[in-house]
């Protein structure tokens, strides 16, 4: 299985020193900022030209046509002519890896102002506290529970201290686990792959009783539609959707249920399930799928496809080992990625398996478009922690994959802005309007013309803190410098953390 690593606290602060932290960087929130003559784009109102947006503190004071919204005397003026302003982006499926302590900064310089941590994390909570107290700028973090899996769990032996997962063998243990996680102040309960149906239903019932959302993987023993009907808030990844939409569902579910999976056998799970997933995808029934998707949309179940994860898993032969963005990551990170590709992803893949995996990925893209067309609310997420995926940068790759799948650029932007805000219950995020949170990204080119223009970032506002072009360049330079610094031997990667939602995609006979 693919392994992730973390650093002990002795390594923390290396990147901070290179970045000139602490205190926080950027122009402080509080003064009045006017973005003048800009084209505003959000999923609620589309594109509006020649707008002025006023920001005071962490809120948008006003936004509207330039002739209606005058620029007050003394405001800091940001010239927006020829530029495009979008809401801050959201990565709704992340895991803290912790090898490099630069995730928060890499998110914000890439315009990612909201993230969702999917497996609990002491380090994410440390970052959250630092951000809240002004020690550094970073995204708003929604941090979930430890992974709640069945017993035996795919995590057994991989998380010896139990900091990432909890295994439950029956409904009573499942309810107790929900109560235990709720007591720690988590934002949601994360369900996992090997929960039995009875334990999953107990998680659902106890979460409802406590008023806590539950979401995550649909377990092998539960239908997608039943999980949605029981109130599952979001479904992560596209692995389990094929069975509900297959003309051969009954036979395939019997095979999946009977498959012998041992404790800690994540690699074995992928190898065993791949032929069933492929068979289910090839027996896709559009009429049946339409009924399933209508049910998800009716229930308000969100879905996070994580296409960049699936692309990495399905097409490891096409991974670019020389992406220039890798200069922002340490030799430890790059070395781990290369090791995982050479030892976990690539070995044993036959030409037939490579062809199957490519076909499966094409089907995943088509599935994403059909989900969107059916009204299922989609959200962007990367499953950061997967090999070669990067904080912030990979969210832009996910947007490009959404459009490649068949969504319009505006739909893709909505999946990264408005839909996450609605999922979080926030009416003051994901839009550019009076009273909204001042999380904004100023682009030098039109993302509706080409979604890849979301990478053409001029400036970022994070809750009203302005990071202009020069400041953004300085931060990136600091991160690049930090990546080149040797880490103390005591800070060498020593443990596995995160969520191997992807595990090892290399399928062997």
């Amino acid at each position: 299985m693919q392994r992730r690593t973390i650093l002990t606290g002795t390594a923390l602060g290396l990147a901070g020193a290179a970045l000139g932290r602490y205190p926080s960087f950027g122009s402080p929130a509080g003064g009045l900022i006017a973005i003048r003559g800009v084209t505003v784009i959000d999923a609620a109102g589309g594109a509006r030209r020649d707008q002025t947006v006023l920001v005071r503190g962490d809120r948008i004071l006003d936004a509207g046509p330039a002739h209606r919204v005058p620029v007050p005397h003394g405001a800091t003026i940001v010239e927006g002519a020829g530029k495009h302003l979008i809401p801050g982006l959201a990565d709704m499926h992340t895991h803290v890896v912790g090898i490099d302590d630069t995730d928060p900064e890499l998110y914000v310089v890439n315009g990612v102002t909201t993230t969702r941590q999917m497996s609990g994390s002491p380090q994410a909570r440390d970052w959250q506290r630092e951000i809240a107290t002004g020690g550094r700028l970073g995204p708003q973090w929604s941090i979930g529970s430890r992974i709640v899996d069945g017993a035996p769990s795919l995590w057994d032996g991989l998380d010896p201290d139990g900091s990432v997962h909890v295994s439950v063998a029956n409904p009573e243990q499942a309810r107790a686990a929900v109560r235990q996680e709720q007591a720690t102040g988590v934002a949601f309960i994360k369900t996992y792959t090997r929960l039995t149906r009875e334990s999953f239903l107990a998680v659902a019932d106890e979460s409802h009783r406590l008023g806590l959302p539950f979401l995550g993987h649909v377990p092998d023993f539960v239908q997608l539609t039943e999980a949605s009907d029981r109130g599952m808030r979001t479904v992560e990844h596209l692995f389990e959707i094929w069975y509900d939409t297959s003309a051969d569902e009954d036979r395939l579910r019997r095979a999946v249920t009977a498959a012998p999976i041992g404790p800690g056998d994540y690699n074995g799970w992928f190898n065993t399930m791949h032929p069933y997933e492929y068979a289910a995808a090839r027996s896709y029934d559009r009429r049946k799928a339409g009924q399933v998707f209508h049910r998800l949309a009716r229930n308000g179940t969100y879905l996070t496809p994580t296409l960049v994860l699936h692309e990495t898993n399905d097409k490891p032969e096409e991974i670019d080992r020389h992406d220039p963005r890798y200069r922002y990551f340490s030799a430890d990170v790059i070395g781990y990625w290369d090791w995982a590709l050479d030892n976990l992803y690539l070995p044993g893949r036959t030409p037939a398996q490579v062809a199957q995996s490519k076909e499966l990925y094409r089907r995943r893209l088509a599935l994403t478009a059909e989900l969107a067309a059916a009204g299922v609310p989609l959200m962007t997420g990367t499953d950061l922690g997967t090999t070669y995926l990067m904080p912030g940068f990979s969210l832009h790759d996910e947007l490009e994959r959404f459009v490649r799948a068949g969504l319009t650029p505006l739909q893709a932007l909505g999946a990264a802005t408005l839909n996450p805000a609605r999922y979080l219950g926030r009416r003051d995020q994901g839009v550019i309007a009076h009273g909204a949170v001042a999380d904004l990204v100023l682009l030098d080119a039109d993302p509706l013309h080409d979604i890849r223009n979301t990478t053409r970032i001029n400036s970022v506002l994070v809750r009203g803190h302005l990071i202009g072009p020069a400041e953004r360049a300085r931060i990136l330079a600091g991160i690049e410098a930090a990546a080149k610094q040797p880490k103390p031997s005591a800070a060498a990667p020593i443990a596995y953390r995160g969520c191997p939602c992807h595990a090892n995609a290399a399928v062997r006979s």
Side-chain angles (χ1 to χ4, degrees):
M1 68 173 284
Q2 181 174 340
R3 305 194 66 136
R4 298 184 192 164
T5 51
I6 65 166
L7 293 176
T8 58
T10 57
L12 303 182
L14 285 177
L19 290 172
R21 295 197 313 257
Y22 308 88
S24 61
F25 54 77
S27 300
L32 185 63
I33 299 170
I35 306 171
R36 182 170 63 183
V38 72
T39 296
V40 165
I41 301 171
D42 64 26
R48 291 95 75 189
R49 299 186 182 279
D50 195 22
Q51 304 280 296
T52 294
V53 178
L54 302 180
V55 172
R56 187 189 297 279
D58 64 352
R59 296 283 165 170
I60 296 174
L61 184 64
D62 202 356
H67 66 81
R68 183 187 67 77
V69 182
V71 176
H73 178 71
T76 297
I77 297 175
V78 177
E79 291 295 350
K83 296 180 173 58
H84 300 76
L85 190 69
I86 62 173
L89 303 170
D91 188 335
M92 298 301 285
H93 194 121
T94 72
H95 299 278
V96 169
V97 182
I99 298 176
D100 295 342
D101 181 39
T102 53
D103 287 20
E105 288 76 22
L106 280 173
Y107 280 124
V108 296
V109 296
N110 279 287
V112 176
T113 58
T114 299
T115 57
R116 187 173 60 164
Q117 165 68 20
M118 297 298 293
S119 54
S121 166
Q123 188 169 4
R125 294 190 184 282
D126 288 342
W127 287 341
Q128 189 179 49
R129 283 190 291 269
E130 290 175 2
I131 292 164
T133 58
R136 67 198 292 183
L137 284 182
Q140 298 183 69
W141 241 288
S142 175
I143 302 176
S145 70
R146 292 180 298 167
I147 290 165
V148 181
D149 200 10
S153 168
L154 299 181
W155 277 92
D156 290 344
L158 305 173
D159 173 38
D161 63 359
S163 62
V164 172
H165 90 296
V166 55
S167 300
V168 299
N170 54 55
E172 291 73 24
Q173 291 182 8
R175 291 180 184 276
V178 172
R179 291 192 297 270
Q180 182 180 12
E181 296 302 305
Q182 191 262 354
T184 68
V186 300
F188 56 87
I189 298 296
K190 167 79 178 289
T191 60
Y192 220 57
T193 305
R194 299 301 289 177
L195 275 174
T196 67
R197 179 175 177 272
E198 293 74 21
S199 292
F200 175 83
L201 296 179
V203 168
D205 289 344
E206 193 67 13
S207 297
H208 282 310
R209 189 183 71 81
L210 296 173
L212 196 61
F214 73 98
L215 53 97
H217 292 205
V218 177
D220 290 337
F221 313 103
V222 179
Q223 284 186 299
L224 169 66
T225 47
E226 181 176 33
S228 175
D229 288 347
R230 289 291 184 139
M232 194 170 195
R233 194 75 175 98
T234 75
V235 172
E236 304 302 305
H237 318 302
L238 298 175
F239 295 115
E240 299 289 343
I241 293 179
W242 299 116
Y243 300 109
D244 278 64
T245 61
S246 169
D248 199 15
E249 179 181 5
D250 290 343
R251 181 186 70 83
L252 290 170
R253 284 200 178 279
R254 286 194 298 271
V256 166
T257 300
I261 304 294
D265 195 13
Y266 218 117
N267 189 49
W269 180 84
F270 264 83
N271 291 340
T272 300
M273 296 304 171
H274 175 81
Y276 303 136
E277 183 190 14
Y278 180 66
R282 297 209 70 183
S283 57
Y284 183 74
D285 183 329
R286 291 179 64 92
R287 180 194 59 80
K288 189 178 180 185
Q291 295 172 344
V292 170
F293 300 160
H294 173 75
R295 201 155 153 189
L296 296 182
R298 180 198 66 195
N299 290 341
T301 304
Y302 288 72
L303 197 141
T304 316
T306 62
L307 292 175
V308 288
L309 155 74
H310 288 297
E311 185 173 38
T312 299
N313 283 354
D314 293 338
K315 301 193 295 181
E317 294 81 9
E318 298 180 14
I319 288 174
D320 180 3
R321 293 180 186 255
H322 305 290
D323 190 314
R325 298 173 295 182
Y326 297 164
R327 68 185 184 274
Y328 298 112
F329 301 91
S330 69
D332 287 351
V333 171
I334 303 301
Y336 156 60
W337 287 347
D338 289 342
W339 177 88
L341 182 61
D342 291 334
N343 292 276
L344 300 176
Y345 280 80
L346 294 176
R349 283 172 64 85
T350 66
Q353 290 166 342
V354 170
Q356 280 187 7
S357 295
K358 288 183 176 180
E359 177 189 346
L360 189 54
Y361 183 70
R362 291 193 297 271
R363 290 179 179 274
R364 295 192 204 281
L365 293 177
L367 178 63
T368 300
E370 292 198 22
L371 285 160
V376 177
L378 304 182
M379 298 193 296
T380 51
T382 61
D383 202 6
L384 177 69
T386 303
T387 301
Y388 298 102
L389 298 186
M390 301 165 280
F393 294 110
S394 292
L395 193 280
H396 296 277
D397 297 338
E398 183 76 356
L399 285 168
E400 192 276 332
R401 302 316 185 264
F402 268 50
V403 173
R404 188 188 303 177
L407 279 71
T408 68
L410 189 61
Q411 285 177 310
L413 285 173
T417 56
L418 188 61
N419 286 356
R422 287 176 172 170
Y423 154 79
L424 291 167
R426 298 292 297 263
R427 295 292 174 181
D428 59 352
Q429 288 184 208
V431 294
I432 302 177
H434 166 71
V437 174
D439 286 342
L440 302 166
V441 188
L442 186 64
L443 305 174
D444 284 328
D446 185 359
L448 300 186
H449 173 71
D450 185 339
I451 194 62
R452 291 172 295 183
N453 286 335
T454 59
T455 64
R456 300 278 302 277
I457 296 173
N458 177 283
S459 303
V460 180
L461 277 87
V462 188
R463 291 173 296 287
H465 291 255
L466 175 62
I467 305 171
E471 186 69 12
R472 184 171 178 271
R474 184 187 72 78
I475 295 165
L476 283 168
I479 293 172
E480 184 175 0
K484 296 176 181 177
Q485 293 182 6
K487 292 182 170 62
S489 58
I494 57 171
Y496 184 77
R497 290 294 183 269
C499 162
C501 305
H502 49 290
N504 173 17
V507 179
R508 306 179 182 85
S509 57

